[in-house]
Amino acid sequence: VSQNPLQSYEKLQAIFYKDIRSPETRQALEECFTFASEFLARVERVELGTPARKKPRRQRQGESLETLAQEHPIRGKQYFAFHRGKRISRAVNKSLYSPPSLKKWRKLVTTLDRGDVASAGMTAKEITKLIYSVAMSFCCAIDLLKRGDQQRPGTFFGYLISHLVASRFGVNPQRELPLVNIEVESHLPTDFTFDVPGSGGRRRKFHLPLKTSTRERAIQIFAHQAMLDNAHGRRIFAAIPVILGETKTDQNKREVIEICLPKQWRLYQRHLAHLARVYYLDIPEAYRQLSHGQPPIIVKEFGEFFFEADELAP
Amino acid sequence: VSQNPLQSYEKLQAIFYKDIRSPETRQALEECFTFASEFLARVERVELGTPARKKPRRQRQGESLETLAQEHPIRGKQYFAFHRGKRISRAVNKSLYSPPSLKKWRKLVTTLDRGDVASAGMTAKEITKLIYSVAMSFCCAIDLLKRGDQQRPGTFFGYLISHLVASRFGVNPQRELPLVNIEVESHLPTDFTFDVPGSGGRRRKFHLPLKTSTRERAIQIFAHQAMLDNAHGRRIFAAIPVILGETKTDQNKREVIEICLPKQWRLYQRHLAHLARVYYLDIPEAYRQLSHGQPPIIVKEFGEFFFEADELAP
């Protein structure tokens, strides 16, 4: 067994799509975050600040909606970064992160397999923290080991979340793209979708975009859901994106901000497509408030998913 | 009168929205590209190559559609870049660019004001070349004068194209956002829209996204059009985006490629929203072929717009 999270990742990548829920996939995931966490235990940490509040710039006519991404200083949350040589990792939420416990992880996933998450004795908040810590361990290790690599952290996050969701639903995601049509010459796979057996022969379909952050690209998620709605009919697929966070770190100033577009999200939810939930591991304050607006966008921490998964339906 | 394109740009920015079609706006535009062009006459040029064709990577399940942006080596088009000190500008198409002629520009805009573009005696191709050269002069000057500045080139391109389109239509763009709704607490301006008087009291509405490039963000254009369709009804607004090009330059290797997602565009056109036209100043080969596919996406050089503007209607 290798002690290097990069080698574990390669192993994970080689076997993942054979069976997303298999014990082998789970073991490869465990190796990735265990070795990443062992690596991070040997590096420094640095505190991150946040800038003073800036007055948001008024948008001019002719500018795209997404140009007006708002940079929010972060209040009420503390962040640090892992630090090694000249490099620092992405920002880590202090109150959510602790080196992930393999024992807790195994307790959680075992109860997911049994379809009885309540018996793990963990709250939604505790599950969120555990999964946040697992994801962050690997992402931060890659930040320090492979400068500028966005691909591995994003792919690992997709593997991790889809493994957990597939375990909870008791089925693997669909292999076929639900937007394929007879004229298209080649397949164009896309976000994960799940076709989950329900009670009374009913099937529930889920659309599961997975992103480490969306920033000014969140319109993609709504637009993909709109395409599913247009191709299949409305409310056939329930969109439940899972996102790690929306922080952005200024490496030189050692400051962290959140990039959010709450007004744009309301327009998307009203005029583009309906998202059933938006799950975050680290919820940005600007999006938490969207649950109370009109139209509401229900933003929750990801740990809640495991308890409400049976009630989520198109 | 200043000889610096940056100062001319500031003047343009200060007056532009007072009246997009005014002689003052036009004069400020002329100063920007004239001084930019004089600046560029004094700098070097370097030839750009293009890499060997790479085999496109197969997309994996769980990856977003837009992750599979294709990097196309460019065949049949030659590019150079302006060069000064350690900096090189964006890639410039050799067969489209020549230092812009103020005489030709004035002939074109005068006939636009009269509603009689044919009397300029210029073909669609010649108009495309002229506007390409005007836009590229300013963008390349900024590339060399302000390292990493994407904002000024993008804004100037928006000013230039909206001035020309407003002159052709004989009306300024709308000041109000057509997505505003009574619950939204503040205005959210967006892409330019035009409300053009037609024959018999009929009005024609246009949605005009303006981008120097779209790359993997083209879904924004389709999604904004889908929001207009959902808010106002289908085929009320005709979407006619105008885009400069899709090139990307590797500064170190001095190579240029085009970033295109033709298969994704077909899915967007089929399932998300209908674009009436896509106008390019420098059409990427991969998109030119979209006119012949199913569903067709009519991609044309921007010069064509001035001749067919009266036939474009929702």
Side-chain angles (χ1 to χ4, degrees):
Chain A
V1 176
S2 125
Q3 302 280 322
N4 184 329
L6 283 165
Q7 288 168 333
S8 308
Y9 173 81
E10 276 170 33
K11 202 159 96 185
L12 175 61
Q13 204 169 22
I15 64 164
F16 187 76
Y17 286 112
K18 286 182 194 154
D19 180 358
I20 290 179
R21 291 187 298 151
S22 71
E24 292 75 22
T25 297
R26 185 169 293 169
Q27 201 196 322
L29 281 166
E30 288 174 0
E31 275 185 31
C32 283
F33 75 75
T34 304
F35 295 140
S37 169
E38 285 172 7
F39 167 76
L40 293 174
R42 299 191 304 268
V43 306
E44 303 283 306
R45 297 184 182 192
V46 292
E47 300 287 313
L48 298 177
T50 199
R53 190 166 294 276
K54 278 193 297 187
K55 211 180 158 192
R57 185 170 67 78
R58 262 205 78 191
Q59 194 175 26
R60 288 184 295 271
Q61 189 182 24
E63 279 191 301
S64 164
L65 269 178
E66 288 70 32
T67 315
L68 200 72
Q70 284 179 349
E71 304 195 343
H72 296 261
I74 302 178
R75 307 296 169 207
K77 298 197 282 187
Q78 303 285 318
Y79 286 82
F80 70 89
F82 292 101
H83 177 229
R84 185 192 191 224
K86 286 186 180 172
R87 294 187 193 165
I88 72 170
S89 73
R90 66 194 63 204
V92 184
N93 184 318
K94 269 192 191 178
S95 72
L96 293 176
Y97 183 86
S98 53
S101 150
L102 195 56
K103 197 178 148 195
K104 276 193 194 168
W105 159 270
R106 287 194 174 148
K107 193 160 69 172
L108 173 66
V109 291
T110 309
T111 62
L112 290 183
D113 289 341
R114 287 205 309 264
D116 178 24
V117 70
S119 70
M122 297 168 77
T123 64
K125 187 81 197 171
E126 286 165 342
I127 295 174
T128 302
K129 284 180 172 184
L130 173 65
I131 300 170
Y132 179 82
S133 302
V134 166
M136 270 296 169
S137 294
F138 185 81
C139 292
C140 291
I142 296 299
D143 289 344
L144 297 182
L145 292 166
K146 290 276 174 188
R147 187 196 184 92
D149 183 354
Q150 290 302 317
Q151 197 258 316
R152 283 186 185 87
T155 304
F156 178 80
F157 183 72
Y159 290 164
L160 171 67
I161 303 300
S162 60
H163 175 78
L164 291 168
V165 170
S167 299
R168 175 63 180 84
F169 278 145
V171 293
N172 277 331
Q174 295 292 99
R175 286 241 146 237
E176 289 301 300
L177 169 73
L179 280 179
V180 95
N181 58 62
I182 47 170
E183 298 93 343
V184 169
E185 65 277 23
S186 64
H187 284 221
L188 265 180
T190 181
D191 306 323
F192 288 100
T193 59
F194 285 86
D195 190 354
V196 180
S199 54
R202 193 168 78 96
R203 300 192 79 80
R204 300 180 303 138
K205 289 173 186 291
F206 294 91
H207 169 219
L208 194 78
L210 305 175
K211 311 269 182 197
T212 52
S213 71
T214 69
R215 298 191 187 160
E216 70 289 344
R217 302 177 313 274
I219 197 170
Q220 270 187 17
I221 293 175
F222 290 85
H224 289 172
Q225 179 60 30
M227 289 164 75
L228 289 172
D229 290 345
N230 289 332
H232 296 271
R234 282 176 191 253
R235 306 271 170 155
I236 300 300
F237 281 88
I240 53 169
V242 185
I243 307 163
L244 182 51
E246 301 292 0
T247 61
K248 185 181 175 184
T249 308
D250 184 319
Q251 302 256 345
N252 295 323
K253 293 185 184 166
R254 297 199 173 167
E255 286 180 341
V256 61
I257 55 172
E258 286 176 327
I259 310 269
C260 298
L261 302 82
K263 289 178 187 172
Q264 288 86 335
W265 279 37
R266 279 203 206 289
L267 286 176
Y268 304 156
Q269 179 84 343
R270 177 184 288 260
H271 293 298
L272 195 50
H274 175 84
L275 306 185
R277 291 285 186 280
V278 181
Y279 291 114
Y280 271 100
L281 274 311
D282 181 12
I283 305 183
E285 198 51 40
Y287 289 156
R288 192 187 286 276
Q289 295 159 10
L290 289 173
S291 301
H292 308 295
Q294 189 57 35
I297 307 174
I298 303 175
V299 179
K300 292 190 172 188
E301 59 185 358
F302 182 49
E304 304 267 7
F305 162 77
F306 299 96
F307 296 96
E308 66 182 9
D310 297 329
E311 279 76 55
L312 291 174
Chain B
V1 175
S2 122
Q3 302 280 322
N4 184 329
L6 283 163
Q7 288 168 332
S8 307
Y9 173 81
E10 276 170 34
K11 202 159 96 185
L12 175 61
Q13 203 168 25
I15 64 163
F16 188 76
Y17 286 112
K18 286 182 194 155
D19 180 358
I20 290 179
R21 290 186 299 150
S22 72
E24 292 75 22
T25 296
R26 186 169 292 170
Q27 200 196 325
L29 282 166
E30 288 174 1
E31 274 185 30
C32 283
F33 74 76
T34 304
F35 295 141
S37 169
E38 285 173 6
F39 167 76
L40 293 175
R42 299 190 304 269
V43 306
E44 303 284 307
R45 299 183 181 192
V46 291
E47 300 288 312
L48 299 176
T50 198
R53 190 166 293 276
K54 278 194 297 188
K55 211 180 159 191
R57 187 169 66 78
R58 263 205 75 191
Q59 193 175 28
R60 288 184 295 271
Q61 190 182 23
E63 279 190 300
S64 163
L65 270 178
E66 288 69 32
T67 314
L68 199 72
Q70 285 179 348
E71 305 194 343
H72 296 261
I74 302 179
R75 306 297 169 208
K77 298 197 282 186
Q78 302 285 318
Y79 286 83
F80 71 88
F82 292 101
H83 177 230
R84 187 195 190 219
K86 285 186 180 171
R87 295 188 193 164
I88 71 169
S89 73
R90 67 194 61 206
V92 183
N93 185 318
K94 270 191 191 177
S95 71
L96 293 177
Y97 183 85
S98 53
S101 150
L102 194 56
K103 195 178 150 197
K104 274 192 194 168
W105 160 269
R106 287 194 174 148
K107 191 161 72 173
L108 173 66
V109 291
T110 308
T111 61
L112 290 183
D113 290 340
R114 287 205 309 264
D116 178 24
V117 70
S119 71
M122 296 168 76
T123 64
K125 188 78 196 173
E126 285 166 342
I127 295 174
T128 302
K129 284 180 170 184
L130 174 65
I131 300 171
Y132 179 82
S133 302
V134 166
M136 269 297 168
S137 293
F138 185 81
C139 293
C140 291
I142 296 299
D143 289 344
L144 296 182
L145 292 166
K146 291 275 174 188
R147 187 196 183 92
D149 182 354
Q150 289 302 316
Q151 197 257 316
R152 282 187 186 85
T155 304
F156 179 81
F157 183 72
Y159 290 165
L160 171 68
I161 303 299
S162 60
H163 174 78
L164 291 168
V165 171
S167 300
R168 176 63 180 83
F169 279 145
V171 292
N172 276 331
Q174 295 292 101
R175 285 242 146 237
E176 290 300 299
L177 169 72
L179 280 178
V180 95
N181 58 63
I182 48 172
E183 298 92 345
V184 169
E185 66 276 24
S186 64
H187 284 222
L188 264 180
T190 180
D191 306 323
F192 289 100
T193 59
F194 286 86
D195 191 355
V196 180
S199 53
R202 193 167 78 96
R203 300 193 78 80
R204 302 178 302 140
K205 290 174 185 291
F206 294 92
H207 170 218
L208 194 77
L210 304 176
K211 313 269 181 197
T212 51
S213 70
T214 68
R215 297 190 187 161
E216 70 289 345
R217 303 177 312 276
I219 196 169
Q220 271 186 15
I221 293 175
F222 291 85
H224 289 173
Q225 178 61 31
M227 290 164 73
L228 289 173
D229 289 345
N230 289 331
H232 296 271
R234 283 178 189 251
R235 306 271 170 153
I236 301 299
F237 282 88
I240 52 168
V242 184
I243 308 163
L244 182 52
E246 302 292 359
T247 60
K248 187 181 174 184
T249 308
D250 185 319
Q251 303 257 345
N252 295 322
K253 292 185 185 166
R254 299 200 171 165
E255 286 180 342
V256 60
I257 54 171
E258 287 177 326
I259 310 270
C260 297
L261 302 82
K263 289 178 187 172
Q264 287 86 337
W265 279 37
R266 279 203 205 288
L267 286 175
Y268 305 156
Q269 179 86 342
R270 177 184 288 260
H271 293 299
L272 195 48
H274 175 83
L275 306 185
R277 291 285 186 280
V278 181
Y279 292 114
Y280 271 99
L281 275 310
D282 182 12
I283 305 184
E285 198 51 41
Y287 289 155
R288 193 187 285 277
Q289 294 158 10
L290 289 172
S291 301
H292 309 294
Q294 191 56 37
I297 307 174
I298 302 175
V299 179
K300 292 190 172 188
E301 58 185 358
F302 181 49
E304 304 267 7
F305 162 77
F306 299 95
F307 295 97
E308 67 182 9
D310 297 329
E311 280 75 55
L312 290 174

